[in-house]
Amino acid sequence: MEPQNILQKAIGLFRQGLQFQALEWLARLLQTQPDSGKAWELKGLIEDSLSWQHVSIHSLETATTLIPLSASGQYVLAKNYLETGNTALGSSVFTILLQRDDIPDQLLPAIAAYLGRYPDLTYLALSACRKAVQQDPECGDSLLGMAFFMEKLKYPYPQTAGVLRKAVSLEPENRHYRIALSNILVQSGEMEEAWKTAREISRTELKQIQCSNCLQKLIHIFTEAEDHSRRDFCLSLQQLLSSRDTQSTFNPQPGSNSSSYNFLKR
């Protein structure tokens, strides 16, 4: 079988979740073509999927001596440097990665969310969000992520609020963006604008909130604005949520979902 066909066979097996079979085909290819950079890169990606970080690093480093890594390959290499304790090298590779112009749109949120796990690398997470906004200025979630990391880095409130206003303008019905913006406005002492932002959240959207702390923040805003109707509605939702939480303590359900960027629970 031709080398290119063997590589495609390995890719197909990997996509099916058959990592070990894919590695077997790559081993055959590398026996005859040890300088196949694409084979080494694919090998590193497969090894990473098996949580073989050290072996993956070796394969990807070998690939870098033969070909320019893809954005995904570079991401995996940088990630594995961090996970094996080589923070300086990992942050350096991430910095280089974020300068590329060919990062797939779907990879940038993953990079930002991953880097967000490392407090010392928050600035790089912000860079990933900024790049996502540059690639798609109409993506509100990227703006939300950008504002999230700006707040972590203690950017001035007006700058963070400006980013969130843009997100709200793109999706006025999105409660997540409005809650995030209203929270920032409260922290900056702009209570009237916080109320004007929060009051536009429909009751249907308010009912979707599953965070008691988020409801408490809205209750505070509506109380300060003497918006008794919305305050009482949020109080009733909070009480309902509290009773559900009490029940779930006795009847826990497996699994839960969380957002990569969560302003709402702070």
Side-chain angles (χ1 to χ4, degrees):
M1 187 180 292
E2 291 294 320
Q4 185 59 32
N5 293 336
I6 295 176
L7 186 64
Q8 290 303 316
K9 176 71 173 180
I11 292 172
L13 289 167
F14 181 32
R15 287 174 175 168
Q16 295 174 56
L18 302 174
Q19 292 100 320
F20 293 104
Q21 291 93 323
L23 287 173
E24 289 175 3
W25 281 90
L26 287 176
R28 297 182 198 177
L29 176 57
L30 290 171
Q31 282 181 350
T32 58
Q33 289 199 329
D35 293 336
S36 173
K38 291 184 178 180
W40 280 109
E41 180 176 14
L42 178 58
K43 183 171 179 287
L45 295 176
I46 295 171
E47 289 161 347
D48 172 72
S49 74
L50 295 168
S51 298
W52 298 351
Q53 282 92 355
H54 288 284
V55 182
S56 174
I57 287 172
H58 174 265
S59 296
L60 291 170
E61 285 180 338
T62 302
T64 62
T65 67
L66 301 166
I67 59 168
L69 286 182
S70 67
S72 296
Q74 205 166 25
Y75 165 63
V76 169
L77 180 59
K79 176 178 70 71
N80 284 336
Y81 280 143
L82 291 182
E83 293 185 3
T84 55
N86 199 332
T87 305
L89 194 50
S91 61
S92 176
V93 176
F94 267 119
T95 299
I96 295 169
L97 169 62
L98 290 171
Q99 294 172 357
R100 297 178 63 140
D101 295 324
D102 62 342
I103 304 176
D105 290 346
Q106 67 272 19
L107 184 57
L108 283 166
I111 292 172
Y114 179 80
L115 288 169
R117 294 162 48 185
Y118 296 85
D120 291 343
L121 300 181
T122 302
Y123 70 99
L124 286 174
L126 175 57
S127 294
C129 291
R130 278 204 177 109
K131 194 168 190 69
V133 171
Q134 289 171 0
Q135 293 187 186
D136 183 5
E138 303 300 307
C139 179
D141 283 350
S142 296
L143 289 163
L144 182 65
M146 186 174 162
F148 174 77
F149 293 118
M150 286 172 69
E151 189 186 13
K152 277 187 169 294
L153 291 168
K154 302 188 184 305
Y155 272 64
Y157 288 130
Q159 290 186 34
T160 306
V163 171
L164 288 170
R165 286 191 188 97
K166 173 65 173 176
V168 170
S169 72
L170 291 171
E171 295 185 46
E173 303 302 319
N174 190 306
R175 68 181 183 277
H176 301 293
Y177 303 164
R178 286 191 175 275
I179 294 174
L181 176 56
S182 65
N183 287 344
I184 287 292
L185 292 170
V186 167
Q187 292 178 68
S188 60
E190 299 179 51
M191 290 301 299
E192 184 175 358
E193 188 183 351
W195 169 65
K196 289 179 178 178
T197 299
R199 74 179 180 182
E200 297 301 320
I201 304 173
S202 69
R203 294 202 171 198
T204 301
E205 284 293 302
L206 288 172
K207 288 179 181 179
Q208 302 302 313
I209 298 174
Q210 299 298 309
C211 168
S212 180
N213 192 38
C214 303
L215 288 170
Q216 186 58 49
K217 290 178 183 297
L218 290 173
I219 290 167
H220 171 66
I221 292 171
F222 294 140
T223 299
E224 290 294 312
E226 299 184 359
D227 187 339
H228 304 303
S229 175
R230 289 184 177 85
R231 178 204 63 190
D232 293 345
F233 186 71
C234 288
L235 277 170
S236 68
L237 292 175
Q238 189 181 50
Q239 291 168 359
L240 180 61
L241 186 60
S242 178
S243 66
R244 288 175 182 170
D245 289 343
T246 301
Q247 292 175 5
S248 67
T249 300
F250 297 100
N251 300 285
Q253 298 296 318
S256 65
N257 292 320
S258 61
S259 173
S260 300
Y261 315 122
N262 199 338
F263 269 93
L264 313 180
K265 295 185 180 179
R266 295 201 303 282

